[in-house]
Amino acid sequence: MAKDITTFINEELKPRLWDYIPNILPELDFQLIRGKWCSRKHYDGTEATHPRQDKSVITPNYPHRVYDNSRQDSKDVITLYMELNRIGEVWEAVRQLCSIVGIAEPEYTEEQREHHLNWGSIFSKKGLITAGLMLAAPLLIKAIPKVIEFVKNA
């Protein structure tokens, strides 16, 4: 039976990311320093103005999160990988990351993939804007005669 993509990520992929951080995020030049992965760059890849070795850090306690010390913010390794490599679909990112860490890709049906893509599009910015416009359309249509009347009387 095929695993749900979220279950696969949490149970199979994330536990293996730690050993492959320099391969997953090569643009950040991570070095293993005192038991944690450290980079002189911010997690978005920009150079830091201060020469600290630990601008971006990944610790063994949270091996799937990149923490930016100067910005006091963190990001999931998989999400960051998708952003830095301009990958829009989580399935593609998982496929590439499985190749990097040396595990088999998850088995999934086209139905599961389609379901994930549909939910991803619904909650994307365009999806939310479209849904908002669809919900607002009846109200706007009802308001048009009132607006026209108001303009005529003004």
Side-chain angles (χ1 to χ4, degrees):
M1 182 177 162
K3 280 189 178 182
D4 171 80
I5 187 70
T6 305
T7 304
F8 178 83
I9 290 169
N10 290 330
E11 293 179 3
E12 304 289 331
L13 186 58
K14 281 186 177 181
R16 290 174 174 83
L17 296 177
W18 175 260
D19 293 329
Y20 298 91
I21 292 299
N23 301 42
I24 295 169
L25 303 169
E27 50 277 285
L28 297 180
D29 302 319
F30 274 102
Q31 304 293 319
L32 194 57
I33 300 173
R34 286 176 273 178
K36 59 185 177 183
W37 290 108
C38 300
S39 172
R40 293 179 186 267
K41 298 179 181 180
H42 296 287
Y43 62 56
D44 62 6
T46 58
E47 293 288 336
T49 54
H50 186 273
R52 278 181 70 163
Q53 287 184 323
D54 61 346
K55 282 295 179 194
S56 294
V57 175
I58 303 173
T59 66
N61 294 343
Y62 298 100
H64 50 85
R65 295 213 59 87
V66 181
Y67 184 75
D68 190 318
N69 277 319
S70 59
R71 296 180 180 164
Q72 300 293 302
D73 192 20
S74 70
K75 200 167 263 198
D76 183 78
V77 169
I78 297 171
T79 302
L80 183 58
Y81 178 81
M82 291 176 68
E83 289 175 5
L84 293 174
N85 293 286
R86 294 186 172 99
I87 300 171
E89 188 179 326
V90 74
W91 291 100
E92 178 60 21
V94 167
R95 189 185 66 71
Q96 291 180 19
L97 289 168
C98 285
S99 175
I100 292 170
V101 303
I103 60 174
E105 296 175 29
E107 293 180 25
Y108 61 90
T109 63
E110 278 304 311
E111 184 179 293
Q112 287 173 314
R113 186 172 184 270
E114 190 69 30
H115 174 78
H116 184 76
L117 289 174
N118 288 341
W119 279 102
S121 66
I122 288 170
F123 289 107
S124 68
K125 290 177 186 174
K126 285 194 290 187
L128 291 174
I129 291 169
T130 303
L133 290 173
M134 288 172 52
L135 289 172
L139 298 173
L140 294 173
I141 291 170
K142 285 182 180 178
I144 289 173
K146 292 179 183 176
V147 170
I148 291 172
E149 187 66 33
F150 178 77
V151 171
K152 284 182 183 176
N153 292 335

